[in-house]
């Protein structure tokens, strides 16, 4: 889960962030990106300087710059709470990441002003009129790259009211988080194993193309393989394969290629370690070539699931069909 926080000053976004941090969420804030810039320019960390610096960054690099910099810090295996989202372009950028939802925290203006007075920050407005003036400034601007908090709030997926007790507020946050968790879609088995195959492909040192396969039986990985030169031979990216190092055009000089394919290596690795792959499923990032197709058929693999079509794979598809091997294409980004 990636839960973004938006809302007006004093609404309780910080309390939501603390609550979720205590429950294992990693904390990120778009304001931290702005603070880093303010410090870089050796300016005082006042609210006015933060707003002005944020507007300057958006003007210079695009309205979604803060969100993009935060996205670079997100790991796919963690839950996050992201604070200080104040522009619709930031929301749109963050929503491009799977699992992101925007939570709007709200409370009456008098209640929010009272909270600001209690926290006694030097940069906070001293009167209710100053508070409302600041709110109007932060909420809407004629300059598109400036803060547009009101528009960001309209894009919220959920709203939590914070006008009661702290316990009531936390109960409501818990209810919303559990609703989000129950709606979150996890990868199905095909997406799961193809995703693993794509990670395995990162081990490939082939200059031309990174390809990998995983062989699965009873929803358990029993062998993996990625393309590259044979065991004990100089790696492809170190000059081990003459064809790849000449950057030969696709489909040419195949007789000079010393690299074994991902499917080939997954099958031979199972033989090397004495693992039975009969009636298994092979997940591969590309559909198999003709050589790998023959190995798949003769090794007893009953199903092939692939992500992207191999350019020279038409004959392979026909041969797999004739041999009774089930073939499915599943697109995984």
């Amino acid at each position: 889960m990636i839960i973004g926080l938006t809302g007006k000053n004093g609404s309780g976004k910080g309390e939501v962030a603390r609550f979720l941090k205590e429950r294992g969420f990693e904390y990120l804030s778009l304001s931290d990106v702005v603070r880093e810039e303010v410090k870089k320019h050796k300016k005082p960390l006042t609210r006015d300087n933060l707003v002005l610096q944020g507007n300057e960054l958006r003007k210079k690099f695009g309205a979604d710059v803060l969100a993009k910099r935060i996205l670079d810090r997100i790991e796919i295996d963690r839950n996050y709470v992201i604070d200080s989202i104040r522009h619709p372009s930031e929301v749109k950028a963050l929503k491009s990441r799977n699992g992101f939802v925007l939570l709007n925290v709200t409370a009456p203006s008098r209640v929010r002003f009272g909270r600001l007075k209690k926290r006694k920050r030097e940069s906070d407005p001293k009167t209710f009129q100053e508070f409302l003036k600041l709110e109007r400034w932060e909420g809407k601007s004629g300059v598109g790259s400036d803060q547009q908090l009101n528009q960001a709030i309209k894009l919220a997926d959920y709203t939590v009211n914070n006008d009661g007790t702290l316990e009531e507020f936390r109960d409501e946050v818990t209810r919303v988080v559990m609703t989000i968790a129950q709606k979150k879609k996890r990868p199905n088995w095909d997406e799961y194993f193809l995703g693993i195959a794509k990670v395995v492909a990162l081990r490939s040192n082939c200059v031309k193309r990174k390809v990998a396969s995983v062989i699965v039986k009873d929803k358990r990985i029993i062998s993996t393989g990625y393309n590259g030169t044979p065991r004990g031979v100089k790696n492809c990216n170190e000059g081990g394969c003459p064809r790849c190092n000449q950057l030969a055009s696709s489909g040419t000089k195949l007789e000079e290629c010393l690299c074994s394919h991902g499917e080939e290596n997954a099958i031979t690795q199972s033989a090397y370690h004495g693992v039975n792959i009969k009636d298994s499923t092979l997940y591969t990032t590309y559909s198999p070539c003709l050589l790998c197709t023959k190995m798949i058929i003769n090794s007893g693999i009953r199903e092939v699931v692939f992500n992207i079509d191999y350019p020279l794979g038409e004959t392979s598809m026909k041969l797999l069909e004739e041999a009774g091997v089930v073939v499915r294409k599943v697109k995984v980004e």
Side-chain angles (χ1 to χ4, degrees), residues 9-137:
N9 204 7
S11 60
K13 301 185 297 296
E15 182 56 43
V16 177
R18 280 190 292 274
F19 180 72
L20 294 180
K21 281 166 65 179
E22 290 170 358
R23 282 142 187 86
F25 280 69
E26 301 283 341
Y27 175 79
L28 294 171
S29 172
L30 272 65
S31 291
D32 287 342
V33 177
V34 182
R35 287 189 186 94
E36 291 165 7
E37 289 294 320
V38 172
K39 289 179 181 178
K40 189 187 297 183
H41 291 86
K42 299 181 179 179
K43 295 178 182 178
L45 285 172
T46 64
R47 188 174 187 84
D48 285 350
N49 281 343
L50 288 169
V51 173
L52 291 170
Q53 186 64 66
N55 290 341
E56 179 64 27
L57 282 170
R58 295 186 191 96
K59 183 178 179 181
K60 187 174 181 180
F61 299 106
D64 55 0
V65 59
L66 304 182
K68 285 182 174 178
R69 292 188 183 184
I70 285 295
L71 284 172
D72 288 339
R73 305 178 188 187
I74 290 178
E75 303 288 342
I76 63 172
D77 59 343
R78 302 176 191 176
N79 289 331
Y80 286 89
V81 55
I82 302 177
D83 200 1
S84 304
I85 300 168
R86 298 187 174 92
H87 197 285
S89 293
E90 294 168 350
V91 179
K92 291 173 184 175
L94 291 165
K95 283 193 174 185
S96 69
R97 181 63 64 93
N98 182 38
F100 177 85
V101 295
L102 184 63
L103 178 64
N104 172 38
V105 187
T106 185
S109 54
R110 284 285 183 184
V111 173
R112 292 187 286 106
F113 177 63
R115 291 172 182 156
L116 262 62
K117 288 180 68 177
K118 285 182 180 179
R119 72 186 188 186
K120 297 179 180 179
R121 289 183 185 172
E122 185 63 31
S123 59
D124 284 340
K126 301 299 184 291
T127 68
F128 187 60
Q129 287 69 31
E130 290 176 354
F131 173 77
L132 293 177
K133 182 180 178 181
L134 174 64
E135 193 160 281
R136 286 192 295 271
W137 181 45

Side-chain angles (χ1 to χ4, degrees), residues 36 40 49 80 102 114 170 172 223 228 241 244 259 262 286:
E36 291 165 7
K40 189 187 297 183
N49 281 343
Y80 286 89
L102 184 63
R170 289 185 168 186
E172 181 64 9
S223 185
C241 177
C244 293
C259 290
Y286 282 81

Side-chain angles (χ1 to χ4, degrees), residues 271-316:
Y272 185 84
H273 293 287
V275 177
N276 179 14
I277 61 173
K278 184 175 181 294
D279 295 326
S280 63
T281 298
L282 182 139
Y283 287 89
T284 182
T285 54
Y286 282 81
S287 61
C289 71
L290 185 56
L291 172 64
C292 291
T293 293
K294 291 183 283 186
M295 295 183 70
I296 288 167
I297 294 169
N298 287 338
S299 63
I301 291 172
R302 60 175 171 79
E303 184 177 28
V304 173
V305 183
F306 68 95
N307 186 35
I308 299 172
D309 290 291
Y310 180 65
L312 304 173
E314 186 177 347
T315 303
S316 299

